[in-house]
């Protein structure tokens, strides 16, 4: 029997070859992968031996192209929709396994670890950024605001800041009482913060304009910090850790938080790693065993 192949999108050339012809010629002529050709030929051989009707024409069509203007407007392509569905399914399956393996008597936290293709020893390959989880991280975050402006101080208190001050807050830090997890500042407070830079710097609490913690208006930043925004960075060996909530959140909220965190980390990768999936992706609860997620989904 003869198989006729018409490959649309590649100059619409037709090629006729018998079953016994070498596969490499078919691959080069039709410009399709050898794996797909071999699977098609194997299925046709099996159908022919079984006595079934063998089709005389096989067609491979490319999905319709979507113009760049439509993509810029937010149109989701079929490939993007399929990839997103696969990601959600993989994340949900892994979270179900994590929840089934959690046996502690308290509400365990769920953490994620992403192993990237980066070398943290090189400054141009470091991965660092901020992420705001849609459902928070499940615990209260204490925020301190350093400012001399009374208007900004009042706005920070109204937004929910735990500590607001200037010289008094500096003296509190000097005494060793650092009872906050996020530090924000206005530009007028930066000169006096130099006095405690060696105390706040090693703890990752020193406000920095490049990290978005030095602002003219701090109210919005306080609200984001209280809602669960935190900083992530690639640590030793290029691994990024971060919490994505607690088991009491439920699978849907945990999945949303996990997908948001992974997307934020992958968006901050250096250009040399943009087209590479993570080396590994693992989630676990506080006292539970780790569960691996297929990194090729991302």
């Amino acid at each position: 029997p003869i198989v006729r192949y018409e490959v649309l999108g590649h100059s619409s050339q037709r090629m006729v070859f018998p079953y016994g012809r070498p596969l490499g010629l078919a691959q080069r002529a039709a410009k399709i992968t050898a794996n797909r050709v071999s699977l098609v030929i194997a299925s046709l051989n099996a159908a022919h031996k079984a006595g079934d009707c063998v089709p005389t024409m096989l067609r491979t069509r490319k999905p319709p192209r979507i113009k760049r203007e439509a993509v810029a407007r937010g149109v989701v392509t079929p490939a993007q929709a399929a990839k997103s569905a696969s990601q959600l399914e993989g994340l949900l399956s892994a979270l179900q396994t994590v929840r089934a393996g959690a046996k502690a008597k308290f509400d365990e936290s769920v953490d994620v670890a992403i192993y990237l293709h980066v070398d943290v020893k090189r400054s141009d390959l470091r991965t660092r950024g901020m992420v705001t989880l849609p459902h928070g991280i499940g615990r209260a975050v204490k925020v301190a605001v350093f400012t001399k402006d009374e208007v900004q101080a009042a706005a920070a208190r109204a937004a929910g800041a735990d500590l607001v001050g200037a010289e008094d807050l500096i003296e509190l830090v000097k005494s060793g009482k650092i009872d906050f997890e996020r530090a924000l500042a206005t530009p007028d407070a930066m000169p006096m913060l130099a006095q405690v830079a060696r105390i706040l710097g090693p703890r990752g609490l020193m406000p920095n304009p490049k990290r978005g913690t030095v602002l003219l208006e701090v109210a919005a930043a306080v609200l984001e910090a209280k809602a669960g925004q935190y900083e992530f960075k690639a640590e030793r060996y290029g691994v990024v850790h971060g919490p994505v909530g607690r088991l009491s959140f439920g699978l849907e909220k945990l999945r949303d938080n996990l997908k948001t965190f992974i997307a934020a980390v992958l968006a901050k990768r250096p250009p040399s790693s943009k087209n590479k999936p993570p080396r590994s992706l693992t989630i676990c609860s506080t006292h539970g065993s780790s569960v691996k997620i297929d990194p090729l989904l991302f």
Side-chain angles (χ1 to χ4, degrees):
I2 302 298
V3 179
R4 295 182 180 272
Y5 245 101
E6 182 179 0
V7 181
L8 304 182
H10 296 291
S11 69
S12 298
Q13 294 181 354
R14 293 190 177 186
M15 175 190 59
V16 181
F17 57 94
Y19 283 140
R21 193 163 180 177
L23 188 61
L25 297 178
Q27 177 188 1
R28 288 193 295 271
K31 295 185 180 179
I32 55 180
T33 61
N35 184 32
R36 182 165 184 175
V37 173
S38 63
L39 290 176
V40 171
I41 293 177
S43 64
L44 290 175
N45 275 325
H48 179 66
K49 291 179 180 178
D52 297 336
C53 179
V54 181
T56 58
M57 183 71 69
L58 298 177
R59 295 172 180 261
T60 59
R61 294 181 179 269
K62 290 186 176 181
R65 291 186 177 182
I66 298 179
K67 295 183 179 180
R68 294 182 179 179
E69 295 79 4
V71 175
R73 292 197 303 268
V75 176
V76 179
T77 64
Q80 290 174 340
K83 182 177 181 179
S84 179
S86 300
Q87 290 175 355
L88 294 177
E89 183 179 355
L91 296 179
L92 188 61
S93 176
L95 288 170
Q96 289 174 345
T97 306
V98 169
R99 186 178 63 176
K103 301 180 181 180
K105 296 182 179 180
F106 60 91
D107 190 11
E108 297 186 47
S109 174
V110 179
D111 301 326
V112 58
I114 306 175
Y115 185 16
L116 302 175
H117 291 267
V118 296
D119 184 4
V120 294
K121 296 180 180 179
R122 294 179 52 180
S123 59
D124 58 329
L125 296 182
R126 292 175 183 172
T127 302
R128 192 170 195 165
M130 304 291 293
V131 59
T132 302
L133 301 181
H135 305 291
I137 57 177
R139 60 183 176 85
V141 179
K142 291 187 176 182
V143 182
V145 178
F146 296 85
T147 180
K148 294 181 179 180
D149 190 344
E150 293 298 332
V151 176
Q152 292 300 320
R157 293 189 183 94
D162 300 279
L163 297 172
V164 181
E167 288 82 0
D168 54 340
L169 200 53
I170 294 291
E171 294 300 327
L172 191 65
V173 173
K174 287 182 178 180
S175 64
K177 297 180 180 179
I178 305 177
D179 192 21
F180 54 88
E181 301 171 69
R182 288 288 305 279
L184 304 173
T186 52
D188 57 358
M190 290 305 293
M192 64 181 182
L193 275 171
Q195 305 174 27
V196 292
R198 293 187 177 182
I199 301 176
L200 298 178
R203 293 175 171 84
L205 297 174
M206 184 65 185
N208 190 327
K210 294 182 179 180
R211 293 160 57 183
T213 51
V214 179
L215 308 122
L216 294 174
E217 297 182 2
V218 296
V222 171
L223 292 174
E224 291 179 351
K226 299 294 285 186
Q229 184 189 63
Y230 64 92
E231 183 182 14
F232 63 85
K233 66 176 181 178
E235 301 173 355
R236 191 177 183 183
Y237 303 118
V239 180
V240 180
H241 295 91
V244 293
R246 297 186 177 275
L247 289 176
S248 60
F249 281 17
L251 294 179
E252 298 297 330
K253 291 184 178 180
L254 284 174
R255 184 182 64 180
D256 294 342
N257 282 355
L258 182 57
K259 185 177 181 180
T260 301
F261 180 83
I262 294 173
V265 172
L266 297 184
K268 291 294 183 178
R269 290 178 297 177
S272 60
S273 302
K274 285 291 185 181
N275 297 326
K276 299 179 182 178
R279 294 178 184 267
S280 66
L281 203 159
T282 309
I283 61 173
C284 67
S285 59
T286 305
H287 287 176
S289 57
S290 61
V291 177
K292 291 185 177 181
I293 302 175
D294 185 5
L296 297 179
L297 292 175
F298 303 91

